[in-house]
Amino acid sequence: MKITDIELHAVGVPRHTGFVNKHVIVKIHTDEGLTGIGEMSDFSHLPMYAVDLNDLKRTLISILIGKNPFDLMKINQELIDSFPEAMYYYEKGSFIRNGIDNALHDLCAKYLDISVSDLLGGRVKEKIKVCYPIFRHRFMDEVEENIEVVRKRYEQGFDVFRLYVGKNLDADEAFLARVKEEFKSKVKIKSYDFSHLLNWKDASRAIKRLTKYDLGLEMIESPAPRNDFEGLYQLRLKTDYPISEHVWSFKQQEEMIKKDAIDIFNISPIFIGGLTSARKAAYAAEVANKGIVLGTTQELSIGTAAMAHLGCSLTNINHTSDPTGPELYVGDVVKNKITYKDGYLHAPDRNVKGLGVEIDEALLEKYRVPDLSWSNVTVHQLQDRTATTKG
């Protein structure tokens, strides 16, 4: 089987907050008549530069055409050479590699008439416990809005939430107090995510304030600037709560292991560059005796399906995970949207080959955008994933 062509389709899908996220849907065609699909998820991140899709397609054609899709390691090495790791959380080269690697796995599994999870070694479970994100408070009047989000999602079966914190601690504290008062033990806040906004000393003071409202807290996420391994280590010594950080390069993961800077690795294919790399990161975490949580950038159903296959094939995920992206959007580009039930992400039917999702061409056309260029958005909108600014 040889790769004969590649398609890249830019789409813009609104979130329920009104913020429009841009993604790239990948199709890889072969001489066997099979097509693999993937997703370069959520290009609407800092830094604010846009990838030129025509130029990207030419580059990917030079790498992929004529290749055997089963040469996953060789192709991934060429992709890393062309789009190298940059020790940065939202490095767009990782997004590109992820979309291609997803599509290659989909293609290889389809050829073998198996699911992607079987290609990854088989399933150890059929579903993953996940949490719904509560986005960062900037203003006190957003507390009531987020309480309403908890009410709505709790009715849908989500009983675990992840809270972005650190921009307005008074509002964060007010929100936690309201959740504890209204929901008591029925709702769990599994993590406080600082998203690198504070230095470790300020984060330490904030943690002391917020952990007065311990609602089943599993971890503290990203409580120091990016790549501040010493800061993570110092904070880890000063709190009883596990410290978690995303993995966005193997060098960064190596440094965190050497420094013993964290307790839990947040591993997501989008940030490390695909299923192939995510599995490597998960195995490294296991060898280092560190915990794992499956992270997210809030993918659509194609990207989330890939994460479900990965998560259900790993033996060492031991914390509530994050992939709830399809629930955050008003639409999608597939016929069979990924399934959530009782707060769990369910893997696609194992009897359906490949990723187990199928592109809906009408929806692909509905959400199509001409390019990945930026509209008039602010840094705050990008960080908080909202369509509006206040004050």
Side-chain angles (χ1 to χ4, degrees):
M1 181 167 59
K2 302 293 182 184
I3 297 172
T4 57
D5 198 11
I6 180 171
E7 297 180 39
L8 303 177
H9 302 272
V11 295
V13 184
R15 293 190 180 200
H16 290 292
T17 62
F19 187 90
V20 177
N21 285 79
K22 292 186 177 181
H23 316 261
V24 175
I25 306 304
V26 178
K27 296 181 182 179
I28 297 179
H29 303 288
T30 69
D31 59 358
E32 294 282 346
L34 292 174
T35 297
I37 63 172
E39 180 183 308
M40 300 176 185
S41 312
D42 199 358
F43 274 97
S44 302
H45 271 299
L46 294 166
M48 292 178 65
Y49 67 81
V51 174
D52 183 285
L53 283 185
N54 291 325
D55 182 64
L56 177 58
K57 180 176 179 178
R58 286 191 291 269
T59 301
L60 292 173
I61 283 174
S62 70
I63 296 170
L64 296 173
I65 298 302
K67 293 288 199 312
N68 183 336
F70 282 95
D71 290 334
L72 287 166
M73 301 305 293
K74 181 179 179 181
I75 294 173
N76 267 274
Q77 187 57 56
E78 290 191 47
L79 289 170
I80 290 174
D81 290 341
S82 298
F83 307 100
E85 294 181 340
M87 292 283 283
Y88 181 63
Y89 190 14
Y90 296 122
E91 167 53 41
K92 291 178 170 62
S94 298
F95 296 12
I96 292 166
R97 288 187 279 116
N98 176 64
I100 298 301
D101 195 48
N102 284 356
L104 292 173
H105 276 81
D106 183 53
L107 192 53
C108 292
K110 285 176 176 174
Y111 184 84
L112 296 173
D113 201 27
I114 60 175
S115 74
V116 164
S117 52
D118 287 323
L119 185 66
L120 295 174
R123 293 187 184 180
V124 295
K125 49 186 169 291
E126 295 295 325
K127 59 184 180 180
I128 305 166
K129 185 65 176 177
V130 294
C131 61
Y132 195 88
I134 302 298
F135 292 105
R136 191 168 283 108
H137 297 99
R138 299 161 299 162
F139 306 97
M140 191 62 74
D141 60 7
E142 292 172 327
V143 170
E144 184 59 40
E145 297 171 15
N146 278 334
I147 290 294
E148 186 58 36
V149 171
V150 175
R151 292 186 187 119
K152 177 181 178 181
R153 296 301 176 174
Y154 179 73
E155 290 176 359
Q156 293 179 319
F158 291 100
D159 58 354
V160 183
F161 296 83
R162 173 166 59 106
L163 179 62
Y164 288 87
V165 298
K167 189 168 286 187
N168 186 328
L169 290 173
D170 291 336
D172 295 337
E173 195 169 355
F175 171 81
L176 290 167
R178 288 283 306 280
V179 171
K180 190 169 185 176
E181 177 185 10
E182 181 170 339
F183 294 94
K184 298 180 173 59
S185 61
K186 294 184 292 183
V187 159
K188 176 179 176 181
I189 305 293
K190 75 109 177 182
S191 65
Y192 300 154
D193 188 345
F194 285 89
S195 302
H196 316 109
L197 289 180
L198 303 180
N199 63 57
W200 75 266
K201 291 183 179 180
D202 288 339
S204 180
R205 286 187 282 269
I207 290 167
K208 289 178 181 177
R209 282 186 64 179
L210 300 180
T211 50
K212 291 185 297 184
Y213 308 93
D214 184 340
L215 298 167
L217 194 64
E218 295 182 33
M219 68 194 74
I220 306 295
E221 296 191 67
S222 305
R226 285 180 288 269
N227 301 319
D228 181 8
F229 311 119
E230 178 65 23
L232 289 171
Y233 174 72
Q234 291 296 332
L235 181 57
R236 186 170 178 242
L237 296 178
K238 295 180 182 300
T239 179
D240 293 330
Y241 292 94
I243 301 299
S244 175
E245 184 56 281
H246 299 77
V247 179
W248 50 74
S249 83
F250 291 115
K251 177 63 177 174
Q252 174 236 11
Q253 186 179 31
E254 177 190 2
E255 291 298 322
M256 287 192 287
I257 292 172
K258 285 166 57 179
K259 191 66 182 177
D260 203 17
I262 57 97
D263 302 281
I264 302 165
F265 283 117
N266 185 310
I267 296 173
S268 175
I270 186 69
F271 294 129
I272 193 64
L275 292 171
T276 299
S277 293
R279 291 176 74 198
K280 288 183 184 179
Y283 298 153
E286 187 171 20
V287 170
N289 197 29
K290 299 295 184 182
I292 286 183
V293 59
L294 193 63
T296 185
T297 186
Q298 310 305 352
E299 296 81 356
L300 298 172
S301 281
I302 297 173
T304 306
M307 299 177 73
H309 284 287
L310 172 68
C312 287
S313 70
L314 292 174
T315 60
N316 57 334
I317 292 181
N318 43 17
H319 294 279
T320 305
S321 290
D322 300 336
T324 50
E327 291 296 304
L328 272 67
Y329 294 101
V330 302
D332 214 311
V333 295
V334 297
K335 295 180 180 179
N336 48 333
K337 190 176 175 181
I338 204 77
T339 302
Y340 295 89
K341 185 178 180 181
D342 298 328
Y344 284 85
L345 166 62
H346 288 252
D349 188 338
R350 195 170 183 175
N351 295 318
V352 179
K353 57 189 178 180
L355 287 174
V357 291
E358 182 182 356
I359 291 175
D360 186 316
E361 296 296 334
L363 291 175
L364 187 65
E365 190 60 36
K366 175 182 178 179
Y367 291 111
R368 185 184 301 278
V369 291
D371 52 43
L372 299 174
S373 60
W374 293 87
S375 56
N376 295 322
V377 297
T378 69
V379 170
H380 292 302
Q381 287 172 293
L382 295 175
Q383 290 175 334
D384 302 328
R385 322 310 279 167
T386 177
T388 61
T389 57
K390 300 179 183 178

